[in-house]
Amino acid sequence: MPDRPFHHTLAVREDLCQGCTHCMKRCPTEAIRITGGKAHVNPERCVDCGQCMDVCPHDAIVIEQNDFQQIFGYRHRVAIVPSLMIGQFEDEVAEMDMIGAFHSIGFTHVHYAEFGVDILKTLGNKISVYADAHPVVSSYCPAVVRLIQLRYPTLLPNVNLMRTPAQITALYARASLEAHGCAPEDIGIFYITPCAAKYAQIKTPGSATSGLIQGGLNLDHVFNLLQRDLAKNSDRTRKGTPTWESPAITGPAFLWSLTKGESSMMQGRTLSVDEVHNVIEFLELVEDERHENLDFLELRACDTGCTGGILTPRNRFLATERIKHHAA
């Protein structure tokens, strides 16, 4: 593992922490200890999975938040939106309304992050993976990749070396704008993140995402901005105001971030494991070389996949249901 600083996005507010031990008991990597009646996080063990934040009854664990106004430092403002965003809204909110709201709050271009899946499939007529060892482990979840780096370094050769869909989409968005004459310095690409780990990946210097994407925006904050805009402009479509073009994406790609969404598009024998404690249990088996006949492992730190991210406001099962209906 490269010896470089890792940017952690979760922090403990000591003024709110009661030392109740909920976070310590839930942490899958034993990164939290109670000292002097307050929780303290060991950065050498933390993988930014967000389990601690999820169970804290005092809201004492918070995630770093960038100022939304940073997007206006660029002339061309691109939102890379995970497909799970549509699942955060009730069924009566149409996709076009959501896309229109993204433009209304300040973005000039909107792309689904999973569009990168379709680009990969178009280029190779299949979803390509590459690693130095088998089974190949998905690199989609940065919390899992960080977990492997810290606790299972012998499995690093198994991690997929191909870029993630969001990274490919970011490359496409920039190349497309530059091809139309946009100056590189005028293009700002922002990922709407459902979890702390993806935000940490963007903020960590030298990571595969830093540089490709100019900033991360917390999904729950952006969702609230969209909701506010939709409430103010509920009759936007009826009045004939601009009808925004839907970002191109296929149904299977739309399901990528859900449990089994990625593995269902892979060749050979695949397996999907979600929720970080389950992932750790299975990685123990893989490290012991007890499952060498597997070809691909889809591992997600969050329950149900990214719909279980700590920055997703809607119940993960209802969100998953809507995403599947939309993909169909």
Side-chain angles (χ1 to χ4, degrees), residues 52 70 84 91 151 158 190 205 223 230 234 263-264 280 294:
C52 54
Q70 69 179 312
L84 63 91
D91 291 345
R151 290 187 53 172
N158 297 71
F190 298 89
F223 173 79
L230 289 167
S234 59
S263 61
S264 65
I280 289 173
L294 282 166

Side-chain angles (χ1 to χ4, degrees), residues 9 14 18 56 96 113 135 159 170 176 184 201 215 229 256 265 277 299 302 308 312 317 324:
T9 59
E14 291 196 3
Q18 302 296 312
C56 179
M96 287 299 91
V159 176
S176 178
Q201 186 182 46
D229 179 80
W256 185 271
M265 300 182 72
H277 295 85
L299 306 179
C302 295
T312 54
F317 301 108
K324 289 181 176 179

Side-chain angles (χ1 to χ4, degrees), residues 9-31:
T9 59
L10 293 167
V12 178
R13 283 191 55 179
E14 291 196 3
D15 59 320
L16 296 178
C17 180
Q18 302 296 312
C20 66
T21 75
H22 282 74
C23 57
M24 185 180 76
K25 293 175 181 176
R26 186 62 178 171
C27 179
T29 60
E30 300 180 349

Side-chain angles (χ1 to χ4, degrees), residues 53 61-66 68 82 84-85 88-89 102 105 191-196 199 216-228 309-314:
M53 182 176 171
I61 298 177
V62 295
I63 184 172
E64 183 178 331
Q65 176 116 337
N66 273 1
F68 182 81
L84 63 91
M85 177 62 90
Q88 307 309 308
F89 295 93
F102 265 104
I105 66 175
Y191 179 73
I192 315 302
T193 177
C195 71
Y199 189 64
L217 297 169
N218 295 4
L219 188 145
D220 58 347
H221 178 70
V222 174
F223 173 79
N224 288 332
L225 294 177
L226 297 175
Q227 283 280 64
R228 196 177 309 152
I310 59 171
L311 298 177
T312 54
R314 196 181 188 197

Side-chain angles (χ1 to χ4, degrees), residues 117-128 265 267:
V117 176
D118 291 327
I119 294 176
L120 268 181
K121 191 171 183 181
T122 300
L123 291 175
N125 203 28
K126 65 177 183 178
I127 304 300
S128 300
M265 300 182 72
Q267 306 291 318

Side-chain angles (χ1 to χ4, degrees), residues 114-255:
E114 293 79 6
F115 178 51
V117 176
D118 291 327
I119 294 176
L120 268 181
K121 191 171 183 181
T122 300
L123 291 175
N125 203 28
K126 65 177 183 178
I127 304 300
S128 300
V129 295
Y130 173 74
D132 293 326
H134 270 64
V136 177
V137 177
S138 169
S139 60
Y140 181 77
C141 177
V144 170
V145 174
R146 180 67 176 163
L147 177 67
I148 292 173
Q149 289 175 331
L150 293 179
R151 290 187 53 172
Y152 307 97
T154 59
L155 296 180
L156 282 173
N158 297 71
V159 176
N160 185 18
L161 296 175
M162 301 294 288
R163 286 193 179 276
T164 65
Q167 293 166 3
I168 294 170
T169 302
L171 286 167
Y172 167 83
R174 179 170 292 279
S176 178
L177 286 169
E178 290 182 4
H180 284 84
C182 300
E185 63 272 17
D186 289 338
I187 302 170
I189 300 178
F190 298 89
Y191 179 73
I192 315 302
T193 177
C195 71
K198 283 183 167 62
Y199 189 64
Q201 186 182 46
I202 293 169
K203 298 286 285 185
T204 297
S207 73
T209 303
S210 70
L212 285 181
I213 295 175
Q214 279 61 62
L217 297 169
N218 295 4
L219 188 145
D220 58 347
H221 178 70
V222 174
F223 173 79
N224 288 332
L225 294 177
L226 297 175
Q227 283 280 64
R228 196 177 309 152
D229 179 80
L230 289 167
K232 288 191 302 183
N233 301 286
S234 59
D235 58 349
R236 177 190 285 125
T237 304
R238 290 194 299 274
K239 285 186 175 179
T241 49
T243 300
W244 304 103
E245 183 178 352
S246 173
I249 189 171
T250 62
F254 205 81
L255 298 173

